[in-house]
Amino acid sequence: MRRWAALHPYNAGHVMRITGAANLERWRGAIIAVLREIGLEVPKDFPIEISSLELNQKIAEELNMPFAAESLPLRAFVATHPSGDHFLGVIFDHWFADSPSIRLLMQRFFYGYRGRDGMESLPSIHFTEKSGETFGKGNGILDGFEAFLACVRNYLRHRRAHRVKLRDPLDFRADFFLMSLPNGLIHQIRAAAKKCDATVNDLFLAVAAQVLGERTVAGREGKSQRRLRAKRDRVGLAAAVDLRPLAGGALDDVFGFFLSYFTVVLASPERRQLTELVAAIAHHTGAIKSKAYAIRFILSLRIARLAWDAFRKPRSKAQLFQKGLPLLAGISNVNLTGSWIDRAEALRDGSPRLVDYFRVSPVGPLLPLVFTLSTIRDRLTLGLTFRTTAFSRSEAKQIGSEFAVRLLKI
């Protein structure tokens, strides 16, 4: 599905806040060394932009900026924090790498910038683009048939999913903003999820469904005017799935793209109790976490590619997923507690120190809005990426605020 780039960049990003003013040459040297380690040809004058824009504006600009043909699928910028600290932002073509892969790079960028020990103990990174081979070939024809059935089932499930109105289906411009949620809130969320025998991600999905259910209830309650058209009265959401744990440790230090997603289609989420909704989502997601699912997902992408190629006009391609797999939003959630990011924040040796870290998700043709959540110890941050043809900035901020308020009431 790298063909999405023909319509619009599918860029993602990671940003870390570092103490003190940025030393551009030290960053350049650290980044070049790491990228060459994974086999990329990097010029010695690798550009790092100094941005004067407000951080959210700069990220939005980067999300909409394509990578030139034959260029590296990764670029960097620095921006100043009002405290005198600085941000290092890394923007990348999401088909080039998943979030765990970029975190491996960011770790090495950080320690290379510090110029102190820490790099020597890190294992080397292995690079691969053949994600399908990692999970084996499965049962061949049987898995292919299962993948085809899964595509059909997904299409039928989503026939009743509500479509967000796009003012222009060919306008893929994205915007972004970041919210810091109250310290300690994540502990309440974990406790609530545990009571429901669910994951934190299940709970985030349920809260997002309630927020978007409230916002779309009027449009979903209208009756279809055509006899054979399904009533689009449900809310469809997606969540990213990290396939790495399914490889039994074989992908721990591998650089590549090992992500899939699953969807939930919910009836009247705004009218259901949160505990009931979380339990229903948890029941659905329980079947997702298997190696067989990973193999079928990879095969499903190939089927989707055939459907994509069957359409010639850009508008038809743009509407393929909106019509066949209509979704209102997606969730990307990761707990960084205990990771190198958490440990780096505790460093107190006088060298540049990591103060904060957050991720930026793309929207692409599939999703009009994505909630990106990152947890580090007591801290929970929310990044919201959205298509401007679907939501205005004020609407997106209201959605983010409503999402936060519902989490606070848990």
Side-chain angles (χ1 to χ4, degrees):
M1 295 310 295
R2 297 172 190 264
R3 290 166 171 78
W4 279 356
L7 295 179
H8 192 267
Y10 194 56
N11 296 347
H14 286 218
V15 180
M16 50 187 172
R17 177 180 158 193
I18 307 295
T19 54
N23 184 319
L24 233 58
E25 288 310 311
R26 283 168 64 183
W27 276 126
R28 182 176 288 110
I31 292 172
I32 289 173
V34 174
L35 295 182
R36 286 178 176 173
E37 179 187 342
I38 63 171
L40 297 179
E41 294 184 9
V42 188
K44 61 181 180 180
D45 58 345
F46 176 82
I48 300 177
E49 181 184 352
I50 303 174
S51 175
S52 59
L53 295 175
E54 187 272 331
L55 185 62
N56 289 331
Q57 289 180 308
K58 178 56 182 171
I59 291 172
E61 178 184 81
E62 292 287 344
L63 288 173
N64 295 299
M65 189 183 303
F67 286 93
E70 308 302 324
S71 71
L72 285 171
L74 179 148
R75 56 179 176 255
F77 69 87
V78 297
T80 302
H81 187 271
S83 69
D85 295 344
H86 70 278
F87 296 102
L88 174 77
V90 170
I91 304 298
F92 58 100
D93 182 337
H94 201 13
W95 292 116
F96 167 64
D98 55 22
S99 180
S101 293
I102 297 300
R103 294 202 296 272
L104 289 175
L105 295 188
M106 298 293 276
Q107 179 184 26
R108 287 155 177 80
F109 294 164
F110 170 70
Y111 281 106
Y113 180 72
R114 280 168 54 87
R116 304 289 287 261
D117 55 4
M119 289 287 283
E120 299 81 2
S121 61
L122 298 178
S124 59
I125 306 174
H126 307 288
F127 181 80
T128 180
E129 290 186 327
K130 299 178 180 179
S131 58
E133 294 180 1
T134 306
F135 302 97
K137 296 183 179 179
N139 294 316
I141 295 174
L142 179 60
D143 277 315
F145 182 67
E146 284 287 342
F148 174 74
L149 287 181
C151 289
V152 173
R153 285 193 294 266
N154 270 335
Y155 172 74
L156 294 176
R157 264 194 323 127
H158 287 81
R159 287 196 72 219
R160 293 188 64 175
H162 182 70
R163 299 177 188 168
V164 68
K165 184 178 180 181
L166 303 177
R167 289 182 287 274
D168 180 359
L170 288 176
D171 181 358
F172 292 101
R173 285 175 298 172
D175 202 349
F176 173 86
F177 65 88
L178 187 71
M179 296 176 62
S180 294
L181 302 179
N183 284 1
L185 176 60
I186 187 61
H187 301 306
Q188 298 170 224
I189 293 170
R190 286 172 180 154
K194 187 175 181 180
K195 283 183 180 179
C196 298
D197 194 24
T199 67
V200 168
N201 197 69
D202 294 331
L203 191 145
F204 285 146
L205 274 169
V207 172
Q210 288 186 329
V211 170
L212 291 164
E214 287 281 0
R215 295 188 65 84
T216 60
V217 64
R220 289 186 290 109
E221 288 183 343
K223 294 183 179 179
S224 173
Q225 300 299 311
R226 290 170 59 179
R227 183 177 300 177
L228 297 179
R229 177 177 290 176
K231 185 177 180 181
R232 297 191 174 274
D233 57 351
R234 300 189 177 182
V235 170
L237 300 174
V241 177
D242 183 4
L243 297 178
R244 290 170 181 266
L246 303 180
L251 298 175
D252 289 350
D253 295 301
V254 175
F255 188 93
F257 185 87
F258 302 97
L259 289 181
S260 73
Y261 70 92
F262 66 85
T263 63
V264 292
V265 181
L266 304 163
S268 304
E270 71 283 356
R271 297 176 184 169
R272 299 166 72 176
Q273 293 292 325
L274 183 62
T275 52
E276 175 201 348
L277 200 56
V278 173
I281 291 172
H283 176 73
H284 175 75
T285 60
I288 304 298
K289 303 162 186 175
S290 70
K291 186 173 179 180
Y293 174 81
I295 294 171
R296 288 197 297 271
F297 171 76
I298 293 165
L299 293 172
S300 296
L301 279 183
R302 295 175 185 172
I303 295 171
R305 183 180 64 191
L306 293 174
W308 178 275
D309 289 344
F311 292 98
R312 299 296 181 187
K313 296 181 179 179
R315 181 173 289 269
S316 299
K317 291 180 183 291
Q319 293 181 315
L320 171 63
F321 291 106
Q322 188 200 12
K323 291 183 176 180
L325 196 70
L327 297 165
L328 292 183
I331 295 278
S332 175
N333 165 51
V334 66
N335 179 13
L336 302 175
T337 304
S339 69
W340 76 267
I341 297 163
D342 185 358
R343 295 189 295 273
E345 286 193 343
L347 295 172
R348 296 289 190 278
D349 61 358
S351 293
R353 184 168 58 86
L354 181 65
V355 180
D356 202 1
Y357 191 107
F358 65 90
R359 302 171 303 121
V360 181
S361 295
V363 282
L366 190 61
L367 294 168
L369 181 146
V370 180
F371 299 86
T372 306
L373 295 127
S374 300
T375 302
I376 306 176
R377 291 193 305 277
D378 290 342
R379 302 201 316 276
L380 177 64
T381 58
L382 166 66
L384 210 65
T385 315
F386 56 97
R387 285 180 65 178
T388 55
T389 193
F391 303 99
S392 67
R393 189 171 181 82
S394 61
E395 288 172 331
K397 284 199 168 185
Q398 187 175 0
I399 290 171
S401 297
E402 291 170 3
F403 183 81
V405 166
R406 286 181 181 269
L407 289 178
L408 287 166
K409 291 181 179 178
I410 290 175

XYZ file of all heavy atoms in Angstrom, residues 251-291:
322
model
N 12.202 -9.992 16.260
C 12.176 -8.641 15.683
C 12.607 -7.557 16.673
O 12.429 -6.374 16.405
C 10.760 -8.318 15.177
C 10.222 -9.225 14.069
C 8.775 -8.870 13.766
C 11.073 -9.098 12.818
N 13.174 -7.945 17.808
C 13.479 -6.973 18.856
C 14.397 -5.855 18.386
O 14.248 -4.710 18.801
C 14.097 -7.680 20.063
C 13.066 -8.528 20.810
O 11.872 -8.404 20.494
O 13.471 -9.311 21.695
N 15.377 -6.159 17.561
C 16.319 -5.138 17.094
C 16.331 -5.065 15.564
O 17.363 -4.797 14.954
C 17.725 -5.443 17.622
C 17.789 -5.344 19.136
O 17.495 -4.259 19.660
O 18.099 -6.355 19.784
N 15.166 -5.305 14.969
C 15.041 -5.270 13.515
C 14.363 -3.972 13.107
O 13.359 -3.568 13.685
C 14.242 -6.479 12.994
C 14.012 -6.368 11.498
C 14.977 -7.772 13.325
N 14.912 -3.317 12.104
C 14.354 -2.078 11.581
C 13.475 -2.413 10.383
O 13.911 -3.059 9.432
C 15.486 -1.146 11.145
C 15.020 0.220 10.760
C 14.993 1.248 11.684
C 14.601 0.491 9.463
C 14.559 2.513 11.329
C 14.169 1.746 9.104
C 14.144 2.761 10.041
N 12.223 -2.004 10.418
C 11.305 -2.285 9.319
C 9.900 -1.818 9.648
O 9.694 -0.944 10.496
N 8.920 -2.417 8.989
C 7.517 -2.040 9.194
C 6.741 -3.308 9.559
O 6.538 -4.179 8.722
C 6.948 -1.404 7.917
C 5.539 -0.885 8.078
C 5.309 0.400 8.552
C 4.447 -1.675 7.759
C 4.013 0.883 8.704
C 3.160 -1.199 7.901
C 2.935 0.080 8.371
N 6.338 -3.408 10.825
C 5.657 -4.603 11.320
C 4.392 -4.191 12.078
O 4.237 -4.479 13.268
C 6.587 -5.414 12.227
C 7.863 -5.830 11.554
C 9.027 -5.081 11.728
C 7.911 -6.934 10.725
C 10.205 -5.440 11.099
C 9.087 -7.300 10.078
C 10.237 -6.556 10.267
N 3.519 -3.493 11.396
C 2.267 -3.032 11.993
C 1.081 -3.553 11.201
O 1.159 -3.727 9.986
C 2.200 -1.502 12.014
C 3.117 -0.749 12.970
C 2.872 0.742 12.843
C 2.906 -1.196 14.400
N -0.007 -3.787 11.908
C -1.279 -4.043 11.252
C -2.330 -3.218 11.997
O -1.986 -2.368 12.838
C -1.633 -5.538 11.279
O -2.013 -5.934 12.582
N -3.568 -3.459 11.742
C -4.626 -2.757 12.466
C -5.842 -3.664 12.542
O -5.967 -4.644 11.820
C -4.983 -1.436 11.765
C -5.685 -1.625 10.444
C -7.079 -1.672 10.368
C -4.962 -1.773 9.261
C -7.728 -1.869 9.154
C -5.596 -1.970 8.051
C -6.978 -2.015 8.010
O -7.615 -2.222 6.809
N -6.739 -3.337 13.460
C -8.036 -3.999 13.484
C -9.101 -2.913 13.606
O -8.788 -1.758 13.948
C -8.150 -5.003 14.642
C -8.118 -4.367 16.008
C -9.272 -3.862 16.602
C -6.932 -4.282 16.713
C -9.246 -3.283 17.853
C -6.884 -3.705 17.972
C -8.047 -3.210 18.536
N -10.324 -3.247 13.306
C -11.412 -2.275 13.394
C -12.530 -2.807 14.275
O -12.711 -4.020 14.427
C -11.997 -1.952 12.002
O -12.566 -3.141 11.447
C -10.910 -1.425 11.071
N -13.277 -1.893 14.864
C -14.494 -2.224 15.599
C -15.623 -1.381 15.029
O -15.413 -0.214 14.681
C -14.350 -1.978 17.116
C -13.367 -2.960 17.731
C -13.917 -0.547 17.409
N -16.788 -1.967 14.905
C -17.973 -1.254 14.419
C -19.029 -1.369 15.510
O -19.493 -2.466 15.815
C -18.480 -1.842 13.089
C -19.702 -1.062 12.604
C -17.380 -1.807 12.036
N -19.405 -0.235 16.105
C -20.206 -0.226 17.324
C -21.542 0.459 17.109
O -21.620 1.525 16.489
C -19.438 0.487 18.434
C -18.039 -0.100 18.723
C -17.210 0.892 19.520
C -18.172 -1.418 19.463
N -22.591 -0.156 17.643
C -23.937 0.423 17.567
C -24.159 1.361 18.750
O -23.936 0.985 19.903
C -24.987 -0.688 17.574
N -24.554 2.573 18.465
C -24.924 3.584 19.474
C -23.974 3.639 20.667
O -24.400 3.501 21.818
C -26.355 3.315 19.974
O -27.268 3.293 18.913
N -22.669 3.845 20.449
C -21.734 3.854 21.583
C -22.016 4.962 22.582
O -21.715 4.833 23.770
C -20.369 4.041 20.910
C -20.677 4.694 19.599
C -21.993 4.124 19.176
N -22.614 6.067 22.104
C -22.891 7.195 22.997
C -23.988 6.871 24.015
O -24.118 7.566 25.028
C -23.283 8.433 22.175
C -24.639 8.376 21.502
C -24.675 7.527 20.239
O -23.617 7.024 19.813
O -25.773 7.364 19.671
N -24.758 5.822 23.775
C -25.850 5.454 24.686
C -25.498 4.297 25.619
O -26.299 3.928 26.473
C -27.090 5.074 23.872
C -27.643 6.212 23.028
C -28.786 5.746 22.182
N -29.260 6.804 21.291
C -30.113 6.622 20.297
N -30.585 5.397 20.054
N -30.495 7.626 19.533
N -24.322 3.732 25.442
C -23.947 2.557 26.221
C -23.032 2.943 27.381
O -22.265 3.894 27.301
C -23.249 1.531 25.309
C -24.154 1.060 24.188
C -23.404 0.334 23.097
N -22.949 -0.990 23.494
C -22.340 -1.833 22.668
N -22.123 -1.493 21.402
N -21.956 -3.017 23.094
N -23.145 2.170 28.463
C -22.256 2.369 29.592
C -20.819 2.066 29.171
O -20.569 1.156 28.373
C -22.652 1.455 30.750
C -23.991 1.791 31.386
C -23.948 3.124 32.132
O -22.931 3.490 32.732
N -25.056 3.854 32.096
N -19.874 2.823 29.711
C -18.478 2.651 29.315
C -17.996 1.221 29.600
O -17.315 0.617 28.778
C -17.587 3.653 30.039
C -16.102 3.617 29.652
C -15.919 3.963 28.180
C -15.282 4.564 30.526
N -18.358 0.671 30.763
C -17.906 -0.679 31.110
C -18.430 -1.714 30.112
O -17.703 -2.629 29.718
C -18.364 -1.053 32.525
O -19.784 -0.832 32.639
C -17.638 -0.231 33.573
N -19.662 -1.555 29.677
C -20.250 -2.478 28.693
C -19.534 -2.360 27.351
O -19.221 -3.361 26.694
C -21.736 -2.168 28.509
C -22.409 -2.996 27.419
C -23.683 -2.363 26.889
O -24.183 -1.398 27.513
O -24.164 -2.822 25.838
N -19.241 -1.121 26.978
C -18.591 -0.871 25.695
C -17.165 -1.430 25.700
O -16.729 -2.056 24.723
C -18.581 0.629 25.427
C -18.395 1.097 23.989
C -19.451 0.502 23.073
C -18.437 2.621 23.933
N -16.443 -1.210 26.788
C -15.074 -1.721 26.889
C -15.068 -3.244 26.809
O -14.230 -3.849 26.124
C -14.406 -1.246 28.199
C -13.052 -1.927 28.387
C -14.225 0.262 28.190
N -16.009 -3.883 27.505
C -16.081 -5.344 27.494
C -16.360 -5.876 26.087
O -15.776 -6.880 25.662
C -17.157 -5.816 28.466
N -17.242 -5.202 25.352
C -17.570 -5.630 23.989
C -16.353 -5.504 23.072
O -16.076 -6.380 22.251
C -18.729 -4.798 23.448
N -15.605 -4.415 23.223
C -14.409 -4.219 22.410
C -13.345 -5.253 22.778
O -12.686 -5.832 21.905
C -13.873 -2.786 22.593
C -14.852 -1.782 21.968
C -12.486 -2.631 21.960
C -14.523 -0.332 22.252
N -13.169 -5.503 24.071
C -12.172 -6.476 24.522
C -12.473 -7.868 23.984
O -11.572 -8.627 23.622
C -12.113 -6.498 26.043
N -13.758 -8.223 23.917
C -14.149 -9.534 23.379
C -13.739 -9.644 21.912
O -13.255 -10.697 21.466
C -15.654 -9.718 23.517
C -16.159 -10.999 22.913
N -15.954 -12.233 23.488
C -16.845 -11.233 21.753
C -16.493 -13.171 22.727
N -17.043 -12.589 21.672
N -13.905 -8.557 21.179
C -13.555 -8.561 19.751
C -12.042 -8.610 19.553
O -11.542 -9.345 18.702
C -14.133 -7.316 19.082
C -13.721 -7.161 17.647
N -14.250 -7.928 16.623
C -12.814 -6.333 17.054
C -13.701 -7.574 15.477
N -12.824 -6.609 15.707
N -11.298 -7.834 20.358
C -9.858 -7.743 20.146
C -9.103 -8.972 20.631
O -7.947 -9.175 20.254
C -9.279 -6.500 20.852
O -9.538 -6.586 22.262
C -9.908 -5.238 20.303
N -9.724 -9.796 21.450
C -9.048 -10.980 21.956
C -8.602 -11.925 20.859
O -7.591 -12.627 21.002
N -9.340 -11.954 19.755
C -9.010 -12.874 18.659
C -7.955 -12.305 17.711
O -7.519 -12.991 16.794
C -10.276 -13.199 17.874
N -7.537 -11.071 17.937
C -6.631 -10.409 17.004
C -5.174 -10.792 17.248
O -4.344 -10.750 16.349
C -6.778 -8.871 17.135
C -8.232 -8.456 16.906
C -5.871 -8.139 16.182
C -8.761 -8.776 15.548
N -4.861 -11.175 18.492
C -3.456 -11.302 18.899
C -2.924 -12.701 18.634
O -2.672 -13.473 19.545
C -3.330 -10.943 20.374
C -3.845 -9.535 20.661
C -4.147 -9.316 22.118
C -4.792 -7.955 22.340
N -5.201 -7.742 23.725
N -2.758 -13.022 17.384
C -2.234 -14.343 17.031
C -1.356 -14.241 15.797
O -1.492 -13.328 14.986
C -3.380 -15.317 16.758
O -4.044 -14.982 15.560
N -0.456 -15.205 15.650
C 0.429 -15.229 14.489
C -0.369 -15.435 13.205
O -0.054 -14.861 12.157
C 1.460 -16.341 14.656
C 2.533 -16.373 13.581
C 3.595 -17.402 13.917
C 4.663 -17.450 12.838
N 5.715 -18.445 13.156
